[in-house]
Amino acid sequence: MSIRLRLDVEPTSLTLATLDQLKLTLTARNVGMAIVDPELHRARLTVNGTPSKAFANAVGNGRREEKWFALPAGDEVAMTWSTLGERLIFEPGDYALALSLDENAAEPVTVVVAP
């Protein structure tokens, strides 16, 4: 499939008390020549190598725009979640967030959480 994934995380430095401010954005760009269903409901987020059930639930449910299922060539679709922070991270530390879909993977993002 000719999909390029991007994971944006803001902010990348927070505290346990500010985890509710964490925002994750998944962006998929169709770099091919035809309309495709990127099957984003199958995207997987790992946190320090462990698959996130909270993300799987979020990406697989809810209302989606038409491009989520039929992405035109050269176009992109994105979705942001702002309620996952406290369901992804539970204690201070450094966290590697990695987004993938089959053989496609976004550049991992490191999030640093202070006490």
Side-chain angles (χ1 to χ4, degrees):
M1 189 181 316
S2 53
I3 296 296
R4 185 172 299 136
L5 296 176
R6 188 175 76 232
L7 174 65
D8 294 302
V9 181
E10 295 178 2
T12 56
S13 180
L14 5 82
T15 66
L16 283 178
T18 60
L19 278 176
D20 62 341
Q21 297 175 14
L22 188 73
K23 293 182 182 176
L24 267 70
T25 302
L26 173 161
T27 304
R29 173 170 282 284
N30 182 350
V31 294
M33 302 299 287
I35 295 173
V36 295
D37 177 352
E39 299 184 19
L40 296 173
H41 64 279
R42 297 188 313 104
R44 180 176 140 167
L45 180 77
T46 60
V47 180
N48 289 346
T50 302
S52 168
K53 291 180 182 178
F55 180 82
N57 187 43
V59 78
N61 293 294
R63 294 187 59 168
R64 304 289 184 259
E65 64 180 294
E66 210 172 290
K67 289 193 298 184
W68 190 264
F69 306 102
L71 187 56
D75 205 352
E76 68 181 29
V77 65
M79 179 158 285
T80 299
W81 292 271
S82 58
T83 59
L84 291 176
E86 297 166 311
R87 297 187 306 172
L88 297 175
I89 297 170
F90 306 101
E91 58 189 37
D94 293 356
Y95 293 87
L97 278 60
L99 176 69
S100 64
L101 176 60
D102 298 331
E103 72 280 353
N104 299 306
E107 189 71 30
V109 176
T110 299
V111 175
V112 178
V113 180

